[in-house]
Amino acid sequence: EPEVTQTPSHQVTQMGQEVILRCVPISNHLYFYWYRQILGQKVEFLVSFYNNEISEKSEIFDDQFSVERPDGSNFTLKIRSTKLEDSAMYFCASKDGFNQPQHFGDGTRLSIL
Amino acid sequence: EDQVTQSPEALRLQEGESSSLNCSYTVSGLRGLFWYRQDPGKGPEFLFTLYSAGEEKEKERLKATLTKKESFLHITAPKPEDSATYLCAVHPMDSNYQLIWGAGTKLIIKP
């Protein structure tokens, strides 16, 4: 069964550094998402991406964050000038139709020191 | 304001003891409601989509139902491997892309 894959599984970064989280969505999917989940808390929406542009973003997704789909297969989340409170699991998801379910990767655990 | 509330926060059952998890929602209108299962350290795994009141979906020991205000995830004769956090998410009419997520119900099935 096709899967969403995310790399790395764990990223440790010094505060203030930039980090790029990578995702390969399911190949025929058209809608892409990033979420974060702080340990023990709710899944939080960050951003959705469709037709090569951001379609919706949350208040969390400020100028510190950016997303790219640099080629036909990868979808990246860049976090600039990381802060301690950015430590969380980051999940990528994709779906093939507007009202279809999203399928998630297993996440990148980001630890900011 | 759109809101999704799941109850209980945690549920401990004996193997074989059936029960139900609740997801109540307050949204302007519903495009769809989704149930996911999340194991520790993993991403949410899709279980069901429900689109309209009265709809039901089944998969093995799980059955999801939907009314105009809430959804239930019924688990029949659960096994220890059903232990996980079950998440509910709603796609409201006033959002094109964003889902509203509940906090989840942590289900523990004791052998």
Side-chain angles (χ1 to χ4, degrees), chain B residues 57-77:
Chain B
K57 293 272 179 73
E58 272 188 83
K59 180 180 177 181
E60 296 180 355
R61 295 177 292 282
L62 298 176
K63 183 167 89 170
T65 61
L66 181 66
T67 73
K68 288 187 177 179
K69 293 185 177 180
E70 59 192 348
S71 177
F72 291 94
L73 185 65
H74 307 278
I75 182 160
T76 303

PDB file of all heavy atoms in Angstrom, chain B residues 57-77:
ATOM      1  N   LYS B  57     -20.046   3.040   9.129  1.00  0.00           N
ATOM      2  CA  LYS B  57     -18.962   2.323   8.461  1.00  0.00           C
ATOM      3  C   LYS B  57     -18.412   1.293   9.446  1.00  0.00           C
ATOM      4  O   LYS B  57     -18.353   1.559  10.653  1.00  0.00           O
ATOM      5  CB  LYS B  57     -17.835   3.283   8.067  1.00  0.00           C
ATOM      6  CG  LYS B  57     -18.221   4.306   6.986  1.00  0.00           C
ATOM      7  CD  LYS B  57     -17.998   3.768   5.612  1.00  0.00           C
ATOM      8  CE  LYS B  57     -18.396   4.778   4.535  1.00  0.00           C
ATOM      9  NZ  LYS B  57     -17.429   5.889   4.423  1.00  0.00           N
ATOM     10  N   GLU B  58     -17.975   0.155   8.911  1.00  0.00           N
ATOM     11  CA  GLU B  58     -17.455  -0.920   9.767  1.00  0.00           C
ATOM     12  C   GLU B  58     -16.146  -1.446   9.241  1.00  0.00           C
ATOM     13  O   GLU B  58     -15.924  -1.508   8.014  1.00  0.00           O
ATOM     14  CB  GLU B  58     -18.442  -2.096   9.804  1.00  0.00           C
ATOM     15  CG  GLU B  58     -19.487  -2.003  10.856  1.00  0.00           C
ATOM     16  CD  GLU B  58     -20.299  -3.287  10.975  1.00  0.00           C
ATOM     17  OE1 GLU B  58     -19.845  -4.220  11.654  1.00  0.00           O
ATOM     18  OE2 GLU B  58     -21.396  -3.332  10.388  1.00  0.00           O
ATOM     19  N   LYS B  59     -15.285  -1.837  10.184  1.00  0.00           N
ATOM     20  CA  LYS B  59     -14.018  -2.467   9.824  1.00  0.00           C
ATOM     21  C   LYS B  59     -13.593  -3.329  10.999  1.00  0.00           C
ATOM     22  O   LYS B  59     -13.295  -2.815  12.070  1.00  0.00           O
ATOM     23  CB  LYS B  59     -12.960  -1.415   9.532  1.00  0.00           C
ATOM     24  CG  LYS B  59     -11.599  -1.948   9.147  1.00  0.00           C
ATOM     25  CD  LYS B  59     -10.649  -0.779   8.884  1.00  0.00           C
ATOM     26  CE  LYS B  59      -9.260  -1.248   8.577  1.00  0.00           C
ATOM     27  NZ  LYS B  59      -8.331  -0.124   8.333  1.00  0.00           N
ATOM     28  N   GLU B  60     -13.625  -4.621  10.788  1.00  0.00           N
ATOM     29  CA  GLU B  60     -13.273  -5.599  11.821  1.00  0.00           C
ATOM     30  C   GLU B  60     -14.088  -5.330  13.083  1.00  0.00           C
ATOM     31  O   GLU B  60     -15.316  -5.391  13.044  1.00  0.00           O
ATOM     32  CB  GLU B  60     -11.764  -5.564  12.085  1.00  0.00           C
ATOM     33  CG  GLU B  60     -10.959  -5.976  10.866  1.00  0.00           C
ATOM     34  CD  GLU B  60      -9.457  -5.954  11.101  1.00  0.00           C
ATOM     35  OE1 GLU B  60      -9.006  -5.535  12.183  1.00  0.00           O
ATOM     36  OE2 GLU B  60      -8.730  -6.375  10.192  1.00  0.00           O
ATOM     37  N   ARG B  61     -13.450  -5.008  14.200  1.00  0.00           N
ATOM     38  CA  ARG B  61     -14.170  -4.821  15.463  1.00  0.00           C
ATOM     39  C   ARG B  61     -14.673  -3.395  15.668  1.00  0.00           C
ATOM     40  O   ARG B  61     -15.247  -3.088  16.713  1.00  0.00           O
ATOM     41  CB  ARG B  61     -13.247  -5.217  16.627  1.00  0.00           C
ATOM     42  CG  ARG B  61     -12.876  -6.691  16.623  1.00  0.00           C
ATOM     43  CD  ARG B  61     -11.907  -7.027  17.734  1.00  0.00           C
ATOM     44  NE  ARG B  61     -10.597  -6.429  17.523  1.00  0.00           N
ATOM     45  CZ  ARG B  61      -9.697  -6.902  16.682  1.00  0.00           C
ATOM     46  NH1 ARG B  61      -9.956  -7.993  15.966  1.00  0.00           N
ATOM     47  NH2 ARG B  61      -8.515  -6.310  16.547  1.00  0.00           N
ATOM     48  N   LEU B  62     -14.460  -2.522  14.712  1.00  0.00           N
ATOM     49  CA  LEU B  62     -14.821  -1.115  14.834  1.00  0.00           C
ATOM     50  C   LEU B  62     -16.010  -0.769  13.954  1.00  0.00           C
ATOM     51  O   LEU B  62     -16.106  -1.230  12.812  1.00  0.00           O
ATOM     52  CB  LEU B  62     -13.642  -0.231  14.435  1.00  0.00           C
ATOM     53  CG  LEU B  62     -12.364  -0.352  15.262  1.00  0.00           C
ATOM     54  CD1 LEU B  62     -11.273   0.529  14.665  1.00  0.00           C
ATOM     55  CD2 LEU B  62     -12.611   0.035  16.708  1.00  0.00           C
ATOM     56  N   LYS B  63     -16.898   0.060  14.512  1.00  0.00           N
ATOM     57  CA  LYS B  63     -18.002   0.610  13.726  1.00  0.00           C
ATOM     58  C   LYS B  63     -18.167   2.079  14.085  1.00  0.00           C
ATOM     59  O   LYS B  63     -18.242   2.432  15.265  1.00  0.00           O
ATOM     60  CB  LYS B  63     -19.313  -0.117  14.001  1.00  0.00           C
ATOM     61  CG  LYS B  63     -20.455   0.398  13.127  1.00  0.00           C
ATOM     62  CD  LYS B  63     -21.669  -0.514  13.156  1.00  0.00           C
ATOM     63  CE  LYS B  63     -22.625  -0.185  14.252  1.00  0.00           C
ATOM     64  NZ  LYS B  63     -23.904  -0.918  14.129  1.00  0.00           N
ATOM     65  N   ALA B  64     -18.215   2.923  13.068  1.00  0.00           N
ATOM     66  CA  ALA B  64     -18.386   4.361  13.268  1.00  0.00           C
ATOM     67  C   ALA B  64     -19.769   4.769  12.806  1.00  0.00           C
ATOM     68  O   ALA B  64     -20.242   4.322  11.754  1.00  0.00           O
ATOM     69  CB  ALA B  64     -17.323   5.137  12.503  1.00  0.00           C
ATOM     70  N   THR B  65     -20.405   5.638  13.610  1.00  0.00           N
ATOM     71  CA  THR B  65     -21.734   6.153  13.275  1.00  0.00           C
ATOM     72  C   THR B  65     -21.716   7.667  13.381  1.00  0.00           C
ATOM     73  O   THR B  65     -20.871   8.251  14.067  1.00  0.00           O
ATOM     74  CB  THR B  65     -22.798   5.563  14.209  1.00  0.00           C
ATOM     75  OG1 THR B  65     -22.499   5.950  15.559  1.00  0.00           O
ATOM     76  CG2 THR B  65     -22.837   4.042  14.120  1.00  0.00           C
ATOM     77  N   LEU B  66     -22.692   8.299  12.714  1.00  0.00           N
ATOM     78  CA  LEU B  66     -22.717   9.763  12.668  1.00  0.00           C
ATOM     79  C   LEU B  66     -24.139  10.271  12.842  1.00  0.00           C
ATOM     80  O   LEU B  66     -25.075   9.764  12.206  1.00  0.00           O
ATOM     81  CB  LEU B  66     -22.160  10.262  11.330  1.00  0.00           C
ATOM     82  CG  LEU B  66     -22.102  11.765  11.120  1.00  0.00           C
ATOM     83  CD1 LEU B  66     -21.108  12.417  12.095  1.00  0.00           C
ATOM     84  CD2 LEU B  66     -21.724  12.091   9.682  1.00  0.00           C
ATOM     85  N   THR B  67     -24.279  11.290  13.735  1.00  0.00           N
ATOM     86  CA  THR B  67     -25.531  12.049  13.828  1.00  0.00           C
ATOM     87  C   THR B  67     -25.206  13.495  13.485  1.00  0.00           C
ATOM     88  O   THR B  67     -24.069  13.816  13.139  1.00  0.00           O
ATOM     89  CB  THR B  67     -26.144  11.971  15.236  1.00  0.00           C
ATOM     90  OG1 THR B  67     -25.346  12.775  16.134  1.00  0.00           O
ATOM     91  CG2 THR B  67     -26.189  10.544  15.744  1.00  0.00           C
ATOM     92  N   LYS B  68     -26.181  14.377  13.643  1.00  0.00           N
ATOM     93  CA  LYS B  68     -25.949  15.785  13.281  1.00  0.00           C
ATOM     94  C   LYS B  68     -25.054  16.504  14.276  1.00  0.00           C
ATOM     95  O   LYS B  68     -24.560  17.598  13.979  1.00  0.00           O
ATOM     96  CB  LYS B  68     -27.286  16.510  13.152  1.00  0.00           C
ATOM     97  CG  LYS B  68     -28.049  16.096  11.911  1.00  0.00           C
ATOM     98  CD  LYS B  68     -29.281  16.934  11.697  1.00  0.00           C
ATOM     99  CE  LYS B  68     -29.981  16.543  10.406  1.00  0.00           C
ATOM    100  NZ  LYS B  68     -31.207  17.320  10.154  1.00  0.00           N
ATOM    101  N   LYS B  69     -24.835  15.896  15.451  1.00  0.00           N
ATOM    102  CA  LYS B  69     -24.028  16.591  16.463  1.00  0.00           C
ATOM    103  C   LYS B  69     -22.846  15.779  16.955  1.00  0.00           C
ATOM    104  O   LYS B  69     -21.974  16.314  17.642  1.00  0.00           O
ATOM    105  CB  LYS B  69     -24.893  16.948  17.668  1.00  0.00           C
ATOM    106  CG  LYS B  69     -25.944  17.986  17.383  1.00  0.00           C
ATOM    107  CD  LYS B  69     -26.672  18.376  18.655  1.00  0.00           C
ATOM    108  CE  LYS B  69     -27.677  19.472  18.374  1.00  0.00           C
ATOM    109  NZ  LYS B  69     -28.407  19.874  19.596  1.00  0.00           N
ATOM    110  N   GLU B  70     -22.812  14.472  16.667  1.00  0.00           N
ATOM    111  CA  GLU B  70     -21.749  13.649  17.210  1.00  0.00           C
ATOM    112  C   GLU B  70     -21.527  12.387  16.392  1.00  0.00           C
ATOM    113  O   GLU B  70     -22.379  12.001  15.575  1.00  0.00           O
ATOM    114  CB  GLU B  70     -22.042  13.290  18.669  1.00  0.00           C
ATOM    115  CG  GLU B  70     -23.326  12.539  18.903  1.00  0.00           C
ATOM    116  CD  GLU B  70     -23.718  12.462  20.379  1.00  0.00           C
ATOM    117  OE1 GLU B  70     -22.900  12.798  21.263  1.00  0.00           O
ATOM    118  OE2 GLU B  70     -24.856  12.055  20.649  1.00  0.00           O
ATOM    119  N   SER B  71     -20.397  11.780  16.666  1.00  0.00           N
ATOM    120  CA  SER B  71     -20.067  10.502  16.062  1.00  0.00           C
ATOM    121  C   SER B  71     -19.619   9.562  17.171  1.00  0.00           C
ATOM    122  O   SER B  71     -19.034   9.998  18.169  1.00  0.00           O
ATOM    123  CB  SER B  71     -18.955  10.668  15.028  1.00  0.00           C
ATOM    124  OG  SER B  71     -18.573   9.420  14.493  1.00  0.00           O
ATOM    125  N   PHE B  72     -19.922   8.295  16.987  1.00  0.00           N
ATOM    126  CA  PHE B  72     -19.476   7.280  17.926  1.00  0.00           C
ATOM    127  C   PHE B  72     -18.588   6.286  17.201  1.00  0.00           C
ATOM    128  O   PHE B  72     -18.831   5.928  16.049  1.00  0.00           O
ATOM    129  CB  PHE B  72     -20.666   6.539  18.538  1.00  0.00           C
ATOM    130  CG  PHE B  72     -21.487   7.375  19.470  1.00  0.00           C
ATOM    131  CD1 PHE B  72     -22.609   8.049  19.012  1.00  0.00           C
ATOM    132  CD2 PHE B  72     -21.129   7.515  20.799  1.00  0.00           C
ATOM    133  CE1 PHE B  72     -23.371   8.836  19.876  1.00  0.00           C
ATOM    134  CE2 PHE B  72     -21.886   8.290  21.668  1.00  0.00           C
ATOM    135  CZ  PHE B  72     -23.003   8.955  21.199  1.00  0.00           C
ATOM    136  N   LEU B  73     -17.560   5.851  17.920  1.00  0.00           N
ATOM    137  CA  LEU B  73     -16.742   4.743  17.440  1.00  0.00           C
ATOM    138  C   LEU B  73     -16.988   3.589  18.402  1.00  0.00           C
ATOM    139  O   LEU B  73     -16.579   3.640  19.561  1.00  0.00           O
ATOM    140  CB  LEU B  73     -15.265   5.125  17.404  1.00  0.00           C
ATOM    141  CG  LEU B  73     -14.325   4.097  16.807  1.00  0.00           C
ATOM    142  CD1 LEU B  73     -14.609   3.886  15.320  1.00  0.00           C
ATOM    143  CD2 LEU B  73     -12.861   4.512  17.003  1.00  0.00           C
ATOM    144  N   HIS B  74     -17.716   2.601  17.908  1.00  0.00           N
ATOM    145  CA  HIS B  74     -18.051   1.443  18.732  1.00  0.00           C
ATOM    146  C   HIS B  74     -16.983   0.379  18.538  1.00  0.00           C
ATOM    147  O   HIS B  74     -16.619   0.068  17.399  1.00  0.00           O
ATOM    148  CB  HIS B  74     -19.409   0.875  18.315  1.00  0.00           C
ATOM    149  CG  HIS B  74     -20.516   1.892  18.305  1.00  0.00           C
ATOM    150  ND1 HIS B  74     -21.201   2.262  19.439  1.00  0.00           N
ATOM    151  CD2 HIS B  74     -21.028   2.631  17.285  1.00  0.00           C
ATOM    152  CE1 HIS B  74     -22.110   3.175  19.120  1.00  0.00           C
ATOM    153  NE2 HIS B  74     -22.030   3.411  17.824  1.00  0.00           N
ATOM    154  N   ILE B  75     -16.505  -0.164  19.644  1.00  0.00           N
ATOM    155  CA  ILE B  75     -15.531  -1.239  19.546  1.00  0.00           C
ATOM    156  C   ILE B  75     -16.120  -2.488  20.196  1.00  0.00           C
ATOM    157  O   ILE B  75     -16.501  -2.462  21.374  1.00  0.00           O
ATOM    158  CB  ILE B  75     -14.168  -0.822  20.127  1.00  0.00           C
ATOM    159  CG1 ILE B  75     -13.157  -1.940  19.962  1.00  0.00           C
ATOM    160  CG2 ILE B  75     -14.276  -0.382  21.592  1.00  0.00           C
ATOM    161  CD1 ILE B  75     -11.715  -1.477  20.042  1.00  0.00           C
ATOM    162  N   THR B  76     -16.189  -3.550  19.418  1.00  0.00           N
ATOM    163  CA  THR B  76     -16.831  -4.789  19.855  1.00  0.00           C
ATOM    164  C   THR B  76     -15.777  -5.849  20.157  1.00  0.00           C
ATOM    165  O   THR B  76     -14.904  -6.098  19.330  1.00  0.00           O
ATOM    166  CB  THR B  76     -17.785  -5.304  18.767  1.00  0.00           C
ATOM    167  OG1 THR B  76     -18.749  -4.292  18.468  1.00  0.00           O
ATOM    168  CG2 THR B  76     -18.504  -6.572  19.225  1.00  0.00           C
ATOM    169  N   ALA B  77     -15.877  -6.420  21.355  1.00  0.00           N
ATOM    170  CA  ALA B  77     -14.953  -7.482  21.774  1.00  0.00           C
ATOM    171  C   ALA B  77     -13.502  -7.123  21.473  1.00  0.00           C
ATOM    172  O   ALA B  77     -12.809  -7.820  20.717  1.00  0.00           O
ATOM    173  CB  ALA B  77     -15.338  -8.809  21.135  1.00  0.00           C
TER     174      ALA B  77
END
